[in-house]
Every structure is written in structure tokens, then in C-alpha cells.
Amino acid sequence: MIGRSRELQQIKQLGASGNFEFLVMYGRRRVGKTTILQEFADRHDVIFYSAQEKNDSLNLRDFSETVQRYFDGQFIAPFQSWENAFAYITKKASGRQVILIIDEFPFMAGPNPSIKSMLQHEIDHHWKNQNIFLILCGSSVSFMVNDIMGYESPLYGRSTSSMEVLPFDYLDSAAFFPEYSAEEKLTAYGILGGIPRYLNCFSPGKSIGENLKTAVLRNGAFLNDEPMMALRMELREPNVYNSILEAIARGNNKVTEIADCIHEDKNKCSKYIQTLQTLRLIEKRVPCGEPESSRKTIYVFTDNFYRFWYHYIFANRSYYELLGEEEAASEIMAGIPDFMGLAFEDICRQYLLRQARLRNLPFVPAYIGKWWGNNPAIRAQDDIDLVALDKKKAEGIFCECKFTNRPMPMEEYDDLMTASRAFPESMKKHFLFISKSGFTAPVQRRAAQEGAVLLTLEDLF
């Protein structure tokens, strides 16, 4: 299994504690939670129950069968109630370790919210003194955070650990395409993001253009309408959410811009945006170093594939069908360098975070991200692709990220130097340039003289 060694190690350590452990595990759909749990289950003796979207009595019947077959080797009859089912586990766990995994717990507790209270009672009166390892897993992030770990939940304070399973970063995603060049690996990540299910849809033996034809553009392909299908599963009014996501994909990233673009009330849009944040599809960003309450707030995609899909596929489906898969893929690939700009900035941010963890930067950043705002030096609005600041904002790294097909010219070097003047002269400044196509000779000479760092795509791996 690619990546996920940290998650597996955490689960393994909890299972080896010898005490009662209760892990709440969550993350968006397709991120690989079940795969992690199955990998753990393959190595350990566990009760593994996957709840289904069906009524309470059917889930109780299936849970009863799973538990009875584990302990007794056969299914006799469904328990009369969930209390009986949990009490049966308590009795059978006496003097031994029991690992109970319930995957997609919201499907079980949604139709019958009292299950949470029944679990709480069993934990408080019996399980907390036994060698029981309980894992509740779910794809509904809001349910797992609020209804399981939230203050008003009966299970509040009972969990001993929590884990949000996140998408892979660009480096782990690259492992899905070992034969790709550095540019191809980054482009694949810029299109697919870090969701394992999406990464597996691209064949490492095909070019990116070929993969676009067969895995995205072809009718019936999993990725052809995956975002639309996922939203319909999660939301009651997918049409409004579709409009918001398309607006953001088109560059409208402030609440007022989004509201104007889709002709909806600003307050209504804010509520929908909050839901999309809960689903981990978009996130709020402010200029690096500014407070979360900054009036310069924007919203951006956290998922590269959703950004790609809403930018290219959502509004152009009929047009691409007329073009045909071959021409449509060629047209999309022609615009990929421009599309990759935002994704490449995020890739460079991930690179800096990795280097910070390895202590390879001049300091450990307290703030890292894009910066935009007024530059007094030029009396105009300005921006910097990537800034990292120390805790006292006395030292900073200023980074230019270029995913273009030509070597970076001196004008880009000068632009970063000018933009950095928006920060105090007293600040100790380091300069970093990352360019897909390298650098012109004058830039290389100047960087050597001034101590600026120049990196290409290969340096990111």
C-alpha cells in the first residue's frame, strides 16, 4: 500500500496498548480510510463491520451475524436490540483483547441516534476497564466531528484518539506513476489531486493525454461525473453547490464575487461555502501572516480534481462530446501549463513544509502561504506566490513558482524582489525560485551573486 505508514503505525500502537482504546477515524469519501482499516485487519484478529445505507433492523441483523460468526463460528439469530449486541461483546471480551471496527458508522447511527447513547453506556460501565479497541470510522466529516466528538454527543470525551485521513501530497501521489517524468508526475497530481481512488484511475503506462481520454472524457468512466455523483450523495441542493464550485474554478474566489457570479444572496452563499468547507472541497485562505479575520479572505479548492473538473468538464461536456475524446484531450492538454499555476504553487508550499519538518530551512515557519495586498513600494496591489515567515515575522522566505514552458527570465526575478518590498526592510529575507523550465543565464549569474536559491522540478523529489 502506497503511503499511509504513519496512519497504520498509529492504529497499531493503539491496538498494542493493552487498555481500552477508542479511535474516531474520519475523512472525505475515496480518501482511503477503508483500505487502511482493511490493511490493519489483514494483520490482526478483528471484528470488521461495514454499515450500509439501510434501515436499523437490517444493520442490526448484519452486525449480529458478523459478531456471532467471529465469536461462535456461526450465526444463530439477530440480537433483539443494540444493547444486547454490545452486552454480548462485553461478555465475550472478558479476559481477552477484542478489536471492533465499525466502518461508515454514520449509516448505522444516523437511522438510530440512540446507538451513540448505548455505546456510551457500555464504554462507561464495562469497556473502559477491558482490553477493547473500538474504531468508529465515517466519511461524513461533520457527523464524525460533531455527532461523535462534539460536546453535545453522548460519546463526547470517550474517544482516546482521533485521526483525519487526508489526501496524499504530491510526493506520495507520485508513487502511483513510477515511470513518469517529474513534470508528468506533477501534472498528474495537478489534475487528480491526492485522492487514492482518483489516482488509481490513471494508468501509469499511458500518457496523461491518453488517460484523460479514457478515464475522464469517456462516457461511463468513473471520473467522468464523479464530482457530480459525490455531491448528490452528500447534499440536498447540488445545483447551487455546483454553481459555487464552478464560480471558484473560474477565478471568483471572494464571497461577493461568487454571489454576483451565480446571482445568489451573499449570506446564502456564505452558508453553502461553509458546507463545502466541511466536506473538505474548498478552504478559506488569507494572505500569509495576516489574521484569520482578514477582510482579504478568499476561497480555493483543496481538491485538484474538483478544480479540474469544474474548470474543464462541468460546463463543456456537450462541447467535448462534439469534439471527440482525442481533440478534447488535446485541447485540454494545450492549456494545462496555465491551469497548473495554482496547483504548482501548492506543490511548492508542500515542498517547503517537508523541508521545514526536516529542518532544512533557515528557520521553522510559523506562517506559510500565498501573499497578496498593497505594496507601498509601488503604490499598487501586488502578490507573491509563496511566503514563509518566522514566528516574530522578522525573517522570511519569498518564493516565485513558475510552471511555464520557457526558462524564467530576469523580469520574474525583479518582480519578486519588488514584491518583497511590501515587507519591512529590517526583515531578513531569503529568496527562492522554482521553475519548470529552468532559468536564463543572467538569472543564474545574479542568483549566484545574491545567494538566491534556484530549483527545478527534479529538485522537488
Side-chain angles (χ1 to χ4, degrees):
M1 182 168 62
I2 295 174
R4 304 310 187 199
S5 58
R6 181 185 63 81
E7 290 86 350
L8 280 169
Q9 182 63 24
Q10 180 180 341
I11 298 173
K12 181 180 178 182
Q13 288 175 349
L14 291 171
S17 75
N19 303 311
F20 170 71
E21 300 288 351
F22 175 13
L23 171 65
V24 179
M25 183 176 178
Y26 60 98
R28 51 170 296 198
R29 294 182 186 279
R30 320 292 194 194
V31 80
K33 303 180 298 300
T34 301
T35 302
I36 295 171
L37 292 176
Q38 288 173 337
E39 183 78 12
F40 176 76
D42 287 344
R43 305 177 188 179
H44 299 80
D45 186 21
V46 308
I47 306 169
F48 196 124
Y49 176 67
S50 294
Q52 303 293 319
E53 286 188 278
K54 47 190 174 185
N55 65 37
D56 183 54
S57 61
L58 291 178
N59 263 318
L60 177 58
R61 182 200 66 189
D62 293 348
F63 183 78
S64 302
E65 181 174 359
T66 299
V67 170
Q68 290 175 22
R69 288 193 184 282
Y70 175 82
F71 286 116
D72 300 323
Q74 61 179 329
F75 176 46
I76 301 171
F79 295 110
Q80 292 184 344
S81 67
W82 287 103
E83 293 102 323
N84 293 149
F86 298 143
Y88 173 82
I89 293 172
T90 300
K91 179 182 177 181
K92 291 290 186 178
S94 179
R96 60 176 292 185
Q97 183 190 42
V98 170
I99 302 174
L100 172 61
I101 300 173
I102 303 178
D103 196 12
E104 292 302 348
F105 182 68
F107 292 157
M108 194 166 100
N112 185 355
S114 64
I115 287 176
K116 293 175 289 183
S117 296
M118 298 173 203
L119 267 177
Q120 174 248 315
H121 179 273
E122 207 68 26
I123 289 170
D124 289 352
H125 291 83
H126 303 287
W127 291 5
K128 69 179 182 180
N129 298 316
Q130 293 181 270
N131 188 2
I132 291 177
F133 182 18
L134 171 64
I135 302 177
L136 299 184
C137 180
S139 297
S140 175
V141 175
S142 60
F143 186 96
M144 300 302 290
V145 171
N146 299 321
D147 291 59
I148 304 300
M149 297 188 292
Y151 181 74
E152 296 183 358
S153 169
L155 292 169
Y156 174 76
R158 272 70 183 182
S159 65
T160 60
S161 188
S162 65
M163 177 192 298
E164 179 173 8
V165 180
L166 299 172
F168 289 133
D169 66 8
Y170 80 93
L171 199 55
D172 284 333
S173 298
F176 284 78
F177 308 104
E179 303 302 319
Y180 274 12
S181 67
E183 180 181 344
E184 289 170 327
K185 289 175 180 177
L186 295 180
T187 301
Y189 177 76
I191 293 172
L192 297 171
I195 297 295
R197 180 66 177 85
Y198 301 168
L199 290 161
N200 277 320
C201 288
F202 270 28
S203 168
K206 295 180 181 178
S207 69
I208 292 176
E210 285 292 325
N211 275 311
L212 281 178
K213 287 191 298 182
T214 58
V216 180
L217 293 168
R218 184 161 296 171
N219 284 332
F222 173 75
L223 292 177
N224 183 255
D225 59 356
E226 158 64 7
M228 181 77 75
M229 296 297 293
L231 285 185
R232 286 174 179 164
M233 292 173 64
E234 296 275 4
L235 304 166
R236 295 179 181 176
E237 300 177 85
N239 291 343
V240 179
Y241 291 100
N242 278 326
S243 299
I244 290 173
L245 291 170
E246 183 185 24
I248 296 173
R250 298 295 179 186
N252 302 287
N253 49 24
K254 297 179 180 178
V255 173
T256 51
E257 294 175 349
I258 296 168
D260 290 343
C261 180
I262 69 172
H263 308 294
E264 290 284 359
D265 178 73
K266 178 182 174 182
N267 291 329
K268 182 179 180 180
C269 278
S270 295
K271 293 178 181 178
Y272 283 94
I273 286 171
Q274 188 174 7
T275 300
L276 289 170
Q277 287 179 268
T278 302
L279 294 175
R280 305 301 197 259
L281 296 180
I282 64 173
E283 67 180 3
K284 172 184 175 180
R285 288 191 183 175
V286 298
C288 182
E290 294 200 12
E292 287 296 307
S293 58
S294 173
R295 298 178 65 182
K296 301 173 187 174
T297 293
I298 63 171
Y299 294 91
V300 299
F301 280 89
T302 57
D303 184 281
N304 285 346
F305 183 67
Y306 273 69
R307 177 173 168 259
F308 173 87
W309 194 86
Y310 280 96
H311 182 84
Y312 285 106
I313 309 299
F314 181 61
N316 296 312
R317 188 185 295 275
S318 297
Y319 169 65
Y320 290 152
E321 287 178 356
L322 288 174
L323 276 185
E325 296 169 6
E326 189 79 36
E327 286 189 52
S330 296
E331 183 171 302
I332 291 172
M333 289 302 297
I336 282 295
D338 291 333
F339 173 81
M340 278 292 295
L342 291 177
F344 189 55
E345 288 176 12
D346 184 59
I347 288 167
C348 295
R349 181 183 65 84
Q350 293 177 27
Y351 170 79
L352 281 191
L353 287 171
R354 279 184 177 269
Q355 295 306 306
R357 294 188 189 101
L358 296 170
R359 300 297 187 267
N360 289 337
L361 299 181
F363 56 88
V364 177
Y367 311 91
I368 185 166
K370 190 179 182 71
W371 176 86
W372 62 96
N374 182 60
N375 187 344
I378 59 174
R379 297 180 180 179
Q381 293 296 302
D382 213 343
D383 66 86
I384 303 174
D385 292 341
L386 188 58
V387 175
L389 303 173
D390 72 344
K391 195 170 184 179
K392 297 181 179 179
K393 301 180 184 178
E395 191 170 3
I397 300 171
F398 299 85
C399 180
E400 186 80 7
C401 314
K402 291 298 173 188
F403 201 85
T404 57
N405 291 326
R406 60 174 185 143
M408 197 192 88
M410 187 63 73
E411 290 84 353
E412 302 286 358
Y413 194 108
D414 288 332
D415 284 347
L416 181 59
M417 294 298 172
T418 300
S420 71
R421 293 169 61 192
F423 291 76
E425 289 187 19
S426 59
M427 178 182 286
K428 184 176 181 181
K429 299 176 181 178
H430 310 270
F431 295 93
L432 171 63
F433 299 86
I434 307 177
S435 171
K436 168 188 148 183
S437 302
F439 307 87
T440 61
V443 167
Q444 295 179 46
R445 289 193 296 268
R446 182 176 173 184
Q449 294 170 355
E450 298 180 356
V453 177
L454 306 182
L455 301 179
T456 60
L457 301 189
E458 286 73 17
D459 296 312
L460 301 180
F461 291 94

mmCIF file of all heavy atoms in Angstrom, residues 275-290:
data_model
loop_
_atom_site.group_PDB
_atom_site.id
_atom_site.type_symbol
_atom_site.label_atom_id
_atom_site.label_comp_id
_atom_site.label_asym_id
_atom_site.label_seq_id
_atom_site.Cartn_x
_atom_site.Cartn_y
_atom_site.Cartn_z
ATOM 1 N N THR A 275 -20.558 24.752 4.154
ATOM 2 C CA THR A 275 -20.794 23.317 3.962
ATOM 3 C C THR A 275 -19.703 22.701 3.091
ATOM 4 O O THR A 275 -19.214 21.596 3.374
ATOM 5 C CB THR A 275 -22.168 23.083 3.316
ATOM 6 O OG1 THR A 275 -23.184 23.617 4.172
ATOM 7 C CG2 THR A 275 -22.421 21.601 3.084
ATOM 8 N N LEU A 276 -19.314 23.383 2.031
ATOM 9 C CA LEU A 276 -18.257 22.876 1.150
ATOM 10 C C LEU A 276 -16.924 22.779 1.883
ATOM 11 O O LEU A 276 -16.110 21.906 1.590
ATOM 12 C CB LEU A 276 -18.124 23.776 -0.083
ATOM 13 C CG LEU A 276 -19.285 23.691 -1.085
ATOM 14 C CD1 LEU A 276 -19.169 24.793 -2.136
ATOM 15 C CD2 LEU A 276 -19.333 22.324 -1.754
ATOM 16 N N GLN A 277 -16.710 23.681 2.842
ATOM 17 C CA GLN A 277 -15.518 23.588 3.675
ATOM 18 C C GLN A 277 -15.585 22.338 4.555
ATOM 19 O O GLN A 277 -14.577 21.636 4.718
ATOM 20 C CB GLN A 277 -15.373 24.827 4.554
ATOM 21 C CG GLN A 277 -14.934 26.084 3.812
ATOM 22 C CD GLN A 277 -14.827 27.269 4.747
ATOM 23 O OE1 GLN A 277 -15.773 28.037 4.931
ATOM 24 N NE2 GLN A 277 -13.678 27.428 5.360
ATOM 25 N N THR A 278 -16.746 22.058 5.109
ATOM 26 C CA THR A 278 -16.916 20.874 5.952
ATOM 27 C C THR A 278 -16.656 19.606 5.161
ATOM 28 O O THR A 278 -16.103 18.629 5.689
ATOM 29 C CB THR A 278 -18.339 20.836 6.540
ATOM 30 O OG1 THR A 278 -18.565 22.021 7.293
ATOM 31 C CG2 THR A 278 -18.533 19.625 7.434
ATOM 32 N N LEU A 279 -17.034 19.616 3.889
ATOM 33 C CA LEU A 279 -16.804 18.462 3.023
ATOM 34 C C LEU A 279 -15.359 18.358 2.555
ATOM 35 O O LEU A 279 -14.996 17.422 1.835
ATOM 36 C CB LEU A 279 -17.726 18.529 1.790
ATOM 37 C CG LEU A 279 -19.223 18.389 2.056
ATOM 38 C CD1 LEU A 279 -20.011 18.600 0.766
ATOM 39 C CD2 LEU A 279 -19.536 17.033 2.658
ATOM 40 N N ARG A 280 -14.537 19.320 2.945
ATOM 41 C CA ARG A 280 -13.109 19.357 2.595
ATOM 42 C C ARG A 280 -12.893 19.531 1.093
ATOM 43 O O ARG A 280 -11.898 19.045 0.539
ATOM 44 C CB ARG A 280 -12.384 18.099 3.083
ATOM 45 C CG ARG A 280 -12.514 17.793 4.575
ATOM 46 C CD ARG A 280 -11.991 18.935 5.423
ATOM 47 N NE ARG A 280 -11.733 18.551 6.798
ATOM 48 C CZ ARG A 280 -12.536 18.810 7.840
ATOM 49 N NH1 ARG A 280 -13.692 19.468 7.629
ATOM 50 N NH2 ARG A 280 -12.201 18.450 9.066
ATOM 51 N N LEU A 281 -13.813 20.234 0.428
ATOM 52 C CA LEU A 281 -13.657 20.503 -1.005
ATOM 53 C C LEU A 281 -13.042 21.865 -1.263
ATOM 54 O O LEU A 281 -12.357 22.059 -2.268
ATOM 55 C CB LEU A 281 -15.015 20.398 -1.715
ATOM 56 C CG LEU A 281 -15.662 19.012 -1.705
ATOM 57 C CD1 LEU A 281 -16.993 19.049 -2.437
ATOM 58 C CD2 LEU A 281 -14.738 17.978 -2.336
ATOM 59 N N ILE A 282 -13.320 22.828 -0.404
ATOM 60 C CA ILE A 282 -12.696 24.142 -0.516
ATOM 61 C C ILE A 282 -12.201 24.551 0.862
ATOM 62 O O ILE A 282 -12.589 23.973 1.875
ATOM 63 C CB ILE A 282 -13.666 25.219 -1.072
ATOM 64 C CG1 ILE A 282 -14.835 25.437 -0.109
ATOM 65 C CG2 ILE A 282 -14.149 24.849 -2.461
ATOM 66 C CD1 ILE A 282 -15.735 26.595 -0.511
ATOM 67 N N GLU A 283 -11.338 25.552 0.896
ATOM 68 C CA GLU A 283 -10.849 26.064 2.165
ATOM 69 C C GLU A 283 -10.667 27.565 2.107
ATOM 70 O O GLU A 283 -10.506 28.152 1.031
ATOM 71 C CB GLU A 283 -9.530 25.395 2.549
ATOM 72 C CG GLU A 283 -8.363 25.737 1.646
ATOM 73 C CD GLU A 283 -7.073 25.039 2.074
ATOM 74 O OE1 GLU A 283 -7.113 24.253 3.035
ATOM 75 O OE2 GLU A 283 -6.027 25.281 1.437
ATOM 76 N N LYS A 284 -10.718 28.172 3.257
ATOM 77 C CA LYS A 284 -10.529 29.610 3.398
ATOM 78 C C LYS A 284 -9.043 29.921 3.478
ATOM 79 O O LYS A 284 -8.297 29.216 4.161
ATOM 80 C CB LYS A 284 -11.242 30.079 4.675
ATOM 81 C CG LYS A 284 -10.980 31.511 5.069
ATOM 82 C CD LYS A 284 -11.665 31.812 6.401
ATOM 83 C CE LYS A 284 -11.318 33.211 6.896
ATOM 84 N NZ LYS A 284 -11.974 33.514 8.196
ATOM 85 N N ARG A 285 -8.628 30.985 2.791
ATOM 86 C CA ARG A 285 -7.244 31.420 2.878
ATOM 87 C C ARG A 285 -7.177 32.929 3.045
ATOM 88 O O ARG A 285 -8.011 33.655 2.502
ATOM 89 C CB ARG A 285 -6.448 30.987 1.648
ATOM 90 C CG ARG A 285 -6.166 29.490 1.609
ATOM 91 C CD ARG A 285 -5.177 29.118 0.541
ATOM 92 N NE ARG A 285 -4.969 27.677 0.473
ATOM 93 C CZ ARG A 285 -4.227 27.063 -0.440
ATOM 94 N NH1 ARG A 285 -3.640 27.790 -1.386
ATOM 95 N NH2 ARG A 285 -4.083 25.753 -0.424
ATOM 96 N N VAL A 286 -6.169 33.357 3.791
ATOM 97 C CA VAL A 286 -5.900 34.779 3.960
ATOM 98 C C VAL A 286 -4.443 35.003 3.588
ATOM 99 O O VAL A 286 -3.652 34.053 3.549
ATOM 100 C CB VAL A 286 -6.166 35.233 5.408
ATOM 101 C CG1 VAL A 286 -7.632 35.036 5.781
ATOM 102 C CG2 VAL A 286 -5.266 34.494 6.392
ATOM 103 N N PRO A 287 -4.050 36.252 3.284
ATOM 104 C CA PRO A 287 -2.641 36.499 2.953
ATOM 105 C C PRO A 287 -1.721 36.035 4.069
ATOM 106 O O PRO A 287 -2.038 36.182 5.257
ATOM 107 C CB PRO A 287 -2.592 38.025 2.784
ATOM 108 C CG PRO A 287 -3.987 38.420 2.417
ATOM 109 C CD PRO A 287 -4.869 37.477 3.172
ATOM 110 N N CYS A 288 -0.595 35.455 3.695
ATOM 111 C CA CYS A 288 0.353 34.906 4.663
ATOM 112 C C CYS A 288 0.704 35.947 5.726
ATOM 113 O O CYS A 288 1.083 37.067 5.411
ATOM 114 C CB CYS A 288 1.620 34.445 3.953
ATOM 115 S SG CYS A 288 2.839 33.701 5.053
ATOM 116 N N GLY A 289 0.573 35.538 6.980
ATOM 117 C CA GLY A 289 0.922 36.415 8.090
ATOM 118 C C GLY A 289 -0.218 37.238 8.636
ATOM 119 O O GLY A 289 -0.080 37.855 9.696
ATOM 120 N N GLU A 290 -1.355 37.263 7.928
ATOM 121 C CA GLU A 290 -2.491 38.055 8.397
ATOM 122 C C GLU A 290 -3.436 37.188 9.233
ATOM 123 O O GLU A 290 -3.464 35.964 9.089
ATOM 124 C CB GLU A 290 -3.239 38.667 7.209
ATOM 125 C CG GLU A 290 -2.417 39.695 6.450
ATOM 126 C CD GLU A 290 -3.273 40.632 5.606
ATOM 127 O OE1 GLU A 290 -4.515 40.638 5.777
ATOM 128 O OE2 GLU A 290 -2.686 41.362 4.789
#
